[in-house]
Amino acid sequence: MSDPLSMVRKFTMDGASVINAGGEYVFGSVKFSEKTETSFKRSIGGGDSYYTLKDVIFFLANIDLSLQEYRKKVVSARVTAIVEADKQDLKDYLMGTIASCKQIDTAKAVASSSGQAESGTVGSNSSSNSSSKATTKPSGEAPMDVE
């Protein structure tokens, strides 16, 4: 399992730490660029528009904010907002409440998993030694650390 959306789900459900190191998210021994597309397709926007890993992790870190506060933070962080039509399904999937939903492009997830190694850098073109940490607390669930 090395598609980014599945990795976020696993780490969220396990309460494990995700490290943000200079534009990459590190899941144990697997790294993804924050710009890597996930298999979660936007309901609004048409075409084949997918949320990036950074969009999904930002959503998790700010899941308890009001819509107005979330939108303000989205603008200042320069990420794509998870649209209202997708929020509940994404949250439920990442928390393990549901196994899948209509927005998940299973073909993209399978292609991502089969084309990637379980360790090393995945979907990244950059490297940096800086890292940061934040803790998310999705709606009463166990916290997910993002370092």
Side-chain angles (χ1 to χ4, degrees), residues 12-24:
T12 300
M13 291 172 61
D14 292 348
S17 295
V18 176
I19 298 167
N20 181 342
E24 294 180 330

Side-chain angles (χ1 to χ4, degrees), residues 5-6 9 89-100 104:
L5 189 64
S6 294
R9 182 177 198 243
D89 284 343
L90 180 58
K91 177 183 171 185
D92 289 347
Y93 174 74
L94 295 174
M95 299 298 163
T97 306
I98 59 176
S100 190
I104 296 175

Side-chain angles (χ1 to χ4, degrees), residues 92-145:
D92 289 347
Y93 174 74
L94 295 174
M95 299 298 163
T97 306
I98 59 176
S100 190
C101 60
K102 65 184 178 198
Q103 296 96 323
I104 296 175
D105 182 343
T106 54
K108 184 176 180 73
V110 168
S112 178
S113 290
S114 65
Q116 308 297 345
E118 281 296 316
S119 63
T121 302
V122 179
S124 174
N125 294 327
S126 64
S127 63
S128 174
N129 292 331
S130 67
S131 64
S132 61
K133 178 181 179 179
T135 302
T136 65
K137 294 183 182 175
S139 293
E141 298 290 330
M144 176 181 132
D145 290 333

Side-chain angles (χ1 to χ4, degrees), residues 26-87:
V26 182
F27 299 85
S29 62
V30 179
K31 297 179 187 178
F32 293 99
S33 167
E34 64 185 15
K35 297 176 184 176
T36 302
E37 284 187 347
T38 66
S39 56
F40 203 93
K41 199 171 189 177
R42 291 176 48 107
S43 293
I44 299 171
D48 288 334
S49 182
Y50 296 88
Y51 294 109
T52 66
L53 186 55
K54 184 175 182 178
D55 301 335
V56 170
I57 290 178
F58 183 85
F59 168 70
L60 272 175
N62 296 284
I63 205 163
D64 290 325
L65 294 179
S66 69
L67 177 60
Q68 184 178 9
E69 287 300 312
Y70 175 68
R71 287 187 177 166
K72 283 180 187 177
K73 285 189 118 181
V74 161
V75 170
S76 66
R78 296 184 176 179
V79 297
T80 300
I82 306 299
V83 297
E84 289 299 305
D86 294 337
K87 282 183 177 180

